[in-house]
Amino acid sequence: MHTKVAIIGSGPAGLTAALYAARANLEPLVIRGLQPGGLITTTNEVENYPGFVESIGGFELADTMERQAVKFGAQTYDAIITHVDLLQRPFTLMTDGGETITADALIVATGASPRKMGVPGEDVLANRGVSYCATCDGFFFRNKRVVVVGGGDSALEEGLFLTRYVSELVLVHRRDTLRASAIMQERAFANPKMRFVWDNVVEEVLGEERVTGVRIRNLKTDEVTTLETDGVFPYIGHVPNSQLFADVLDMDASGYIITDERRRTNIPGVFAAGDVVDHIYRQAITAAGEGCQAAMEATWFLAEQEYLLKKTETAQGQEVAVVVAPDNWS
Ligand code: NAP
């Protein structure tokens, strides 16, 4: 299978890239990956995406973006990319189903995954009380007690969502001030079901068949206590999904792909956008903006390649690289 532009990832960055590339008549191929729609689909309500006065569900937002891109000619493909060869063009992508996709340009929009606490019991009790998705699993904790870990917007937003179901919610945070935005803090402090345990980290998730509690340690006093609970929801940040490109794309120490201000990676023709690049803003709207930039750059890159291929004359025996925007660019 060959495509002019392959986009790996189908969150706001990938789908916005698809929209713009489709409108440039490039018929991009969006490889939807492990989590179609991306991380935003695990958010119950998105209140800060411009254009939606009454807020919009995360799943609905991603679904709308995908339908909009498809309307203009983007194609979607349900596969996971397991291997890439970016050292020669066209680039080669191998899927988990054994297919080979070649692409003249590539946009990496693989996003990020929830960071794990990395403590005993967390993996063993995953889906048996440990969950990273309140929207998906909140319903199963009706009238139960849960612990939410973290002090950012995700912890508070998803915690507030959980209070619709649970009898009690304890938020365990490693400091005594929250990182979350003022509006989320106001809502959390006003919620009668939310209790805060400051300066503590989870050291172990307890339970045999299901979660029964967490062992926590106070970072100021070193005191270790046990909180009885039926569920644990860690919201302690994210790690970029960039492992696939570990040997080939430049990354920072945390694994975020490095691009210039035009979303170009160290390999010409490979662009990157969204949470796999951005460790500062990490918003749906900024991811969408970067996806737009990546698609415009990919369009210009392909136009330039076409120009170079057609150009037979060279200046003093040297190929001359001239960046041209397509005539029909708008
Ligand atoms: P975040 O802002 O990075 O917050 C992560 C939280 O986890 C912090 O409170 C951090 O503590 C804590 N933490 C990190 N590592 C930890 C560890 N090993 N053990 C215990 N605690 C740990 O991540 P996020 O809340 O997922 O938000 C990510 C981005 O998305 C942010 O830019 C946020 O504004 C945005 N977001 C926005 C909305 C919204 O606007 N509606 C909703 C969700 C997310 P410290 O505070 O001590 O560092």
Side-chain angles (χ1 to χ4, degrees), residues 47-48 115 117 149-155 157 173-175 177-179 181 184 201 235-238 280-283:
E47 288 184 330
N48 54 6
R115 176 180 287 131
M117 296 183 293
V149 188
D153 278 321
S154 295
E157 188 161 303
H173 182 38
R174 65 182 177 182
R175 293 185 294 129
T177 51
L178 296 169
R179 177 180 293 277
S181 55
M184 299 308 295
V201 289
Y235 283 108
I236 59 169
H238 299 93
I280 300 174
Y281 305 106
R282 295 175 292 184
Q283 305 294 306

Side-chain angles (χ1 to χ4, degrees), residues 3-8 28-31 93 101-103 105-108:
T3 179
K4 285 180 193 145
V5 181
I7 298 167
I8 311 180
L29 181 69
V30 181
I31 298 133
L93 318 176
I101 298 168
T102 54
L106 175 66
I107 296 174
V108 178

Side-chain angles (χ1 to χ4, degrees), residues 94-225:
M94 300 292 296
T95 73
D96 54 340
E99 298 106 329
T100 301
I101 298 168
T102 54
D104 297 322
L106 175 66
I107 296 174
V108 178
T110 44
S113 296
R115 176 180 287 131
K116 291 188 174 184
M117 296 183 293
V119 298
E122 183 178 17
D123 284 343
V124 184
L125 292 164
N127 300 322
R128 291 193 283 147
V130 176
S131 169
Y132 304 88
C133 181
T135 308
C136 322
D137 298 330
F139 187 74
F140 301 114
F141 292 87
R142 266 173 307 164
N143 300 320
K144 297 195 170 174
R145 300 158 302 180
V146 297
V147 163
V148 169
V149 188
D153 278 321
S154 295
L156 264 57
E157 188 161 303
E158 304 308 316
L160 283 163
F161 174 73
L162 283 169
T163 60
R164 297 181 189 186
Y165 303 103
V166 302
S167 55
E168 184 198 60
L169 187 147
V170 179
L171 188 131
V172 175
H173 182 38
R174 65 182 177 182
R175 293 185 294 129
D176 60 4
T177 51
L178 296 169
R179 177 180 293 277
S181 55
I183 186 166
M184 299 308 295
Q185 293 198 31
E186 269 172 34
R187 288 182 197 170
F189 290 137
N191 190 301
K193 282 190 187 168
M194 267 188 152
R195 184 161 74 82
F196 295 83
V197 173
W198 305 111
D199 301 316
N200 271 263
V201 289
V202 172
E203 283 201 330
E204 186 174 359
V205 182
L206 306 168
E208 297 286 329
E209 291 302 309
R210 289 198 59 82
V211 169
T212 56
V214 286
R215 197 159 52 80
I216 58 173
R217 186 166 60 90
N218 187 305
L219 294 175
K220 285 187 175 157
T221 64
D222 241 8
E223 187 189 357
V224 174
T225 47

